[in-house]
Amino acid sequence: MARQVTSTSLTQAVADHLRMRIHRGDVSPGERLPAERELAEQLGVARISLREAIRQLREDGYVEVRRGSTGGTYVTELRRPAEAWRARMREQAGEIDDIVDFRIALETQTATLAAHRRSEATLAPVQESLGALRDVIGRTAFRQADSRFHVALARAARNDRLTDAVETARGELFSPRDLLPFREPVEETLRDHQAIFEAVRDGDAGLAAEAMRAHLERARRQLRAIVFGTDHDTDGDPEWSSA
């Protein structure tokens, strides 16, 4: 029997979607969400459902509503939801490893398919993301360039379900990097991304999968450092290779 869709479940779905976008870094701390009418149209929902979803996000500390000439709904500094996420990861033993294991299975297969199905048209956005990473200034640009790479690679695999799954899995690993001490490892991340891209471009599916696995295993260690305070570098900051 099909489950009935209620206004409550729709509101929750909208709130979860916006929360996922914030987790992935699509919208960063301090950034303004689109105006209510525009955002409701983008999501294809009634404004009342969007309003309720925004209320939920406000209560959870994700957004704040500002008044005045520059008013609107803005993403907060995420300190409260970040700490709530870290506490949940600490309490749920093995959760981080489960999510990273899933991402490895997902994205190594994505890299494999991309190597088999690549074309000039699908590789162009992947290569453009490398250029964006080389030119980043600031953490927001760094996060966005990293996200562009993984999504573009998933699209190069030419499987819409894989692309959706990659985006969802990235959203589950809420690592609020703007709040935590770390050195932006542009060179290390660029090296990883470049190795994956070259293997895909050359049609070497095995090497592409191996490079992606190494990239995500590095991310596993770094996420554990953020959540549990282990595997820090010598200056006390977690080593970071964005993933």
Side-chain angles (χ1 to χ4, degrees):
M1 182 177 178
R3 190 176 72 176
Q4 184 177 9
V5 177
T6 66
S7 59
T8 301
S9 62
L10 178 58
T11 295
Q12 188 61 52
V14 173
D16 289 344
H17 174 78
L18 293 174
R19 188 180 292 109
M20 192 73 71
R21 290 188 58 192
I22 294 170
H23 282 196
R24 288 200 308 257
D26 296 347
V27 191
S28 295
E31 287 191 34
R32 182 186 178 196
L33 296 181
E36 185 181 277
R37 181 188 298 275
E38 179 186 349
L39 188 54
E41 289 177 356
Q42 286 179 11
L43 299 176
V45 299
R47 292 173 70 176
I48 188 169
S49 296
L50 174 61
R51 212 168 288 141
E52 280 300 302
I54 294 296
R55 184 184 63 77
Q56 283 188 26
L57 294 179
R58 286 178 65 187
E59 290 176 355
D60 292 340
Y62 281 90
V63 300
E64 60 184 1
V65 176
R66 301 178 189 171
R67 307 297 178 186
S69 58
T70 59
T73 303
Y74 288 81
V75 178
T76 69
E77 290 302 305
L78 300 177
R79 297 188 186 282
R80 187 152 58 91
E83 191 50 47
W85 180 84
R86 293 173 72 187
R88 182 166 62 85
M89 289 296 106
R90 292 187 191 109
E91 291 168 3
Q92 297 180 3
E95 182 73 1
I96 284 180
D97 287 329
D98 283 353
I99 296 171
V100 175
D101 287 346
F102 177 64
R103 278 198 64 190
I104 288 174
L106 198 63
E107 297 204 53
T108 53
Q109 179 63 8
T110 295
T112 297
L113 289 178
H116 288 309
R117 299 174 178 177
R118 73 203 184 285
S119 68
E120 286 188 17
T122 59
L123 284 179
V126 184
Q127 190 161 23
E128 287 168 8
S129 74
L130 296 176
L133 188 58
R134 290 189 189 95
D135 298 333
V136 295
I137 299 176
R139 299 179 179 184
T140 295
F142 176 58
R143 285 161 29 121
Q144 291 173 346
D146 172 63
S147 184
R148 280 178 61 186
F149 173 83
H150 285 271
V151 172
L153 190 68
R155 288 176 179 156
R158 303 190 194 185
N159 186 305
D160 291 341
R161 287 182 174 82
L162 270 179
T163 302
D164 290 343
V166 166
E167 291 185 319
T168 299
R170 287 177 61 77
E172 286 191 63
L173 286 174
F174 176 33
S175 48
R177 300 163 191 166
D178 294 335
L179 313 181
L180 301 169
F182 74 103
R183 294 192 310 269
E184 295 163 53
V186 175
E187 291 185 7
E188 182 181 60
T189 302
L190 182 59
R191 186 167 59 247
D192 281 0
H193 287 191
Q194 185 72 41
I196 297 165
F197 168 74
E198 289 177 0
V200 169
R201 180 199 62 197
D202 296 343
D204 192 331
L207 185 57
E210 181 183 334
M212 179 63 78
R213 179 182 295 277
H215 182 49
L216 294 177
E217 285 292 358
R218 200 163 10 250
R220 186 199 304 272
R221 295 192 297 272
Q222 296 152 354
L223 282 164
R224 292 185 66 83
I226 282 180
V227 172
F228 301 109
T230 57
D231 294 333
H232 284 55
D233 68 7
T234 53
D235 350 33
D237 292 350
E239 291 283 351
W240 259 106
S241 167
S242 188

